[in-house]
Amino acid sequence: MTIHIDAPVHTAMGPRAGTITGSASTSAVEGLVRGQTIVVWDGSRARLGHAAATASTTHTAFVIRHTSGFLQIALPTPLCDRLLIPATPALPARPNEEGYRQCIGVDAAQGTTTGISAADRARTARILVASHTAPSDLIRPGHLMVVAVDPGHSGRQVVPHLTLQLAESGLGGLVFADLISEQRHRDMADEREATIFAETHCLRMFFDGGTT
């Protein structure tokens, strides 16, 4: 598989929406595998996401520009354990209502500067899911926040569902952040705004299994 690290963010517009189960789920993962950025609605908030293995400066800058800037990467729990990325001590160790547990942030130990730039966080995402990465290849704490998804997760939340499917596809996990409202910059985008954003930027949009 050829991965173009600086591939364009935009993609041909597919179905406007669907549930995140069945064919829509397959379509979402196929888009992520091709290096596309997608919009997901999980019933309470909108998120921009892309696959960790194909994270580029272009992808990451686009996500940061249109979101809260709090960039996270969802990874299967066994990978977090192998890389010695612990859950955040101050928070409960069990998964929250979104289907994952919050871990500490990390930076790539080599090839980054401050760790906060789009280029640095994109590199950190790729390093996190590379098969050869060892715990010593990461700096803790860092600027890309990790969340852990249990392999046995069976809920309908979008982030853990896509994360596990990406892991099965060899792309490690999902980089994501909450989409902000373009009209009310202190608020997160609602479903209507997320839909308009997806249409404006020619991005695929997917809903969780509980959304009609």
Side-chain angles (χ1 to χ4, degrees):
M1 177 178 64
T2 301
I3 297 175
H4 300 287
I5 295 303
D6 286 311
V9 168
H10 303 306
T11 180
M13 189 65 178
R16 185 193 68 80
T19 64
I20 202 64
T21 58
S23 61
S25 174
T26 301
S27 180
V29 174
E30 288 175 349
L32 292 167
V33 168
R34 291 194 294 268
Q36 298 173 357
T37 297
I38 66 171
V39 181
V40 295
W41 175 259
D42 67 1
S44 63
R45 65 180 67 190
R47 286 163 165 158
L48 294 184
H50 57 263
T54 59
S56 69
T57 301
T58 302
H59 284 117
T60 308
F62 178 83
V63 171
I64 293 171
R65 184 181 311 119
H66 294 288
T67 68
S68 62
F70 184 68
L71 202 64
Q72 302 184 79
I73 180 169
L75 302 171
T77 299
L79 178 57
C80 295
D81 292 342
R82 183 177 72 78
L83 295 178
L84 304 182
I85 303 174
T88 304
L91 296 176
R94 63 183 182 279
N96 62 23
E97 66 276 5
E98 293 170 319
Y100 51 73
R101 60 177 60 85
Q102 187 71 54
C103 299
I104 65 171
V106 298
D107 290 334
Q110 301 293 328
T112 60
T113 55
T114 63
I116 194 64
S117 70
D120 284 356
R121 284 192 274 183
R123 175 170 174 76
T124 298
R126 298 194 303 271
I127 290 295
L128 277 166
V129 299
S131 60
H132 61 272
T133 298
S136 59
D137 294 320
L138 302 171
I139 296 172
R140 308 164 186 76
H143 297 86
L144 183 58
M145 306 306 296
V146 179
V147 299
V149 177
D150 289 338
H153 176 80
S154 58
R156 298 190 298 185
Q157 300 94 333
V158 178
V159 169
H161 186 85
L162 291 180
T163 296
L164 296 179
Q165 288 202 304
L166 283 170
E168 291 179 1
S169 300
L171 294 180
L174 182 73
V175 179
F176 68 97
D178 292 348
L179 185 67
I180 60 172
S181 170
E182 294 190 354
Q183 302 299 320
R184 308 177 311 279
H185 297 303
R186 294 184 179 181
D187 298 328
M188 298 297 102
D190 57 25
E191 183 178 347
R192 181 187 65 84
E193 291 175 306
T195 302
I196 293 172
F197 182 90
E199 292 173 346
T200 300
H201 294 277
C202 297
L203 302 177
R204 294 176 183 268
M205 182 171 177
F206 300 90
F207 296 86
D208 68 4
T211 303
T212 57

